[in-house]
Amino acid sequence: MRIFTKKLPHPDLPAEEKAQLLQNTEYQEMMVESTFMYLTLDLPTAPLYKDEKEQLIIPQVPLFSILAKFNGATEKEYKTYKENFLKRFQLTKLPPYLIFCIKRFTKNNFFVEKNPTIVNFPITNVDLREYLSEEVQAAHANTTYDLIANIVHDGKPSEGSYRIHVLHHGTGKWYELQDLQVTDILPQMITLSEAYIQIWKRREEDETNQQGA
């Protein structure tokens, strides 16, 4: 993965001083190559208010919207105690398995908050070619992934519980596991859950051909 980082001047500085600082080497964009074990997907901020009928709003976002973080063009501001940075990310290689960690939990000085936003995602046929840099697209014959496991968090951050949806490769059926209970589940129900961690498997060439047949 390529990570592009640009330091930002303090927002309270006068415009002229900001312009001067942006000319310094310290404030020029830098790029580093980095490996990753999983991709963290950021959720949009959940609405704070109820709708006009005084019912809680359950926000939703498409998977591809939060994957845009890795398209090489989307910038996001990151703040530290003293400094602010703009960062953008671009994938340079796709492994046989991808792990997505959907960032539902945030910590502040007092408590942990959970974002309940539902991520809308297809179970199969997620193509990540557009998130690769152009020069390495040719090196990836297969860029399509299928979901094989989905970990769900239910309830409040401190009192919630976990479930996992697992694909049985031999039969193509999905099962839900919670503690010692195992039940079958329809794929359509998986997409309605508060997904937290997902594991995706890249299709091999013969699998791609079978899907297209």
Side-chain angles (χ1 to χ4, degrees):
M1 180 194 300
R2 289 175 181 162
I3 304 176
F4 301 86
T5 305
K6 182 190 299 182
K7 184 179 177 181
L8 298 176
H10 194 281
D12 295 334
L13 290 176
E16 291 184 2
E17 189 172 346
K18 287 182 182 179
Q20 291 178 350
L21 287 174
L22 290 174
Q23 302 302 316
N24 297 341
T25 304
E26 181 184 1
Y27 290 87
Q28 301 304 305
E29 185 174 72
M30 298 181 296
M31 187 273 288
V32 296
E33 299 273 353
S34 176
T35 57
F36 64 90
M37 296 186 65
Y38 57 88
L39 299 179
T40 301
L41 305 183
D42 303 317
L43 292 174
T45 303
L48 300 177
Y49 306 103
K50 298 179 180 181
D51 64 11
E52 63 276 5
K53 296 181 181 179
E54 290 299 310
Q55 295 178 346
L56 289 176
I57 300 171
I58 302 178
Q60 300 184 34
V61 62
L63 174 65
F64 292 102
S65 292
I66 55 178
L67 274 173
K69 173 182 178 179
F70 300 98
N71 63 11
T74 301
E75 292 183 324
K76 182 179 178 180
E77 186 173 351
Y78 291 81
K79 298 181 179 181
T80 65
Y81 179 69
K82 294 183 178 180
E83 298 175 318
N84 296 349
F85 297 88
L86 276 182
K87 290 188 178 184
R88 55 190 179 94
F89 306 85
Q90 185 173 50
L91 300 180
T92 55
K93 188 176 181 180
L94 293 177
Y97 294 89
L98 267 178
I99 300 175
F100 293 163
C101 180
I102 299 171
K103 192 176 180 181
R104 293 200 173 275
F105 302 98
T106 54
K107 295 182 179 180
N108 58 34
N109 294 331
F110 303 100
F111 52 85
V112 178
E113 292 182 293
K114 179 184 175 183
N115 189 323
T117 299
I118 298 296
V119 178
N120 296 320
F121 56 90
I123 298 293
T124 61
N125 201 31
V126 171
D127 192 351
L128 300 182
R129 179 170 296 276
E130 66 178 281
Y131 303 102
L132 292 172
S133 59
E134 293 183 3
E135 65 269 25
V136 300
Q137 285 186 7
H140 287 74
N142 299 316
T143 56
T144 302
Y145 284 77
D146 299 319
L147 186 69
I148 60 172
N150 182 58
I151 299 175
V152 179
H153 183 272
D154 298 312
K156 298 180 180 180
S158 59
E159 304 172 4
S161 60
Y162 291 90
R163 294 177 287 133
I164 181 171
H165 303 130
V166 179
L167 175 67
H168 187 275
H169 186 71
T171 62
K173 293 183 178 181
W174 281 91
Y175 293 90
E176 180 177 281
L177 289 70
Q178 186 171 25
D179 298 329
L180 299 178
Q181 296 181 347
V182 180
T183 57
D184 55 359
I185 185 173
L186 294 174
Q188 302 94 299
M189 301 302 295
I190 296 173
T191 61
L192 302 177
S193 61
E194 294 183 15
Y196 179 39
I197 297 174
Q198 296 182 329
I199 302 176
W200 296 78
K201 181 180 182 296
R202 190 181 65 201
R203 288 185 189 172
E204 300 302 328
E205 187 173 358
D206 55 344
E207 293 176 322
T208 302
N209 292 336
Q210 290 174 9
Q211 291 284 343

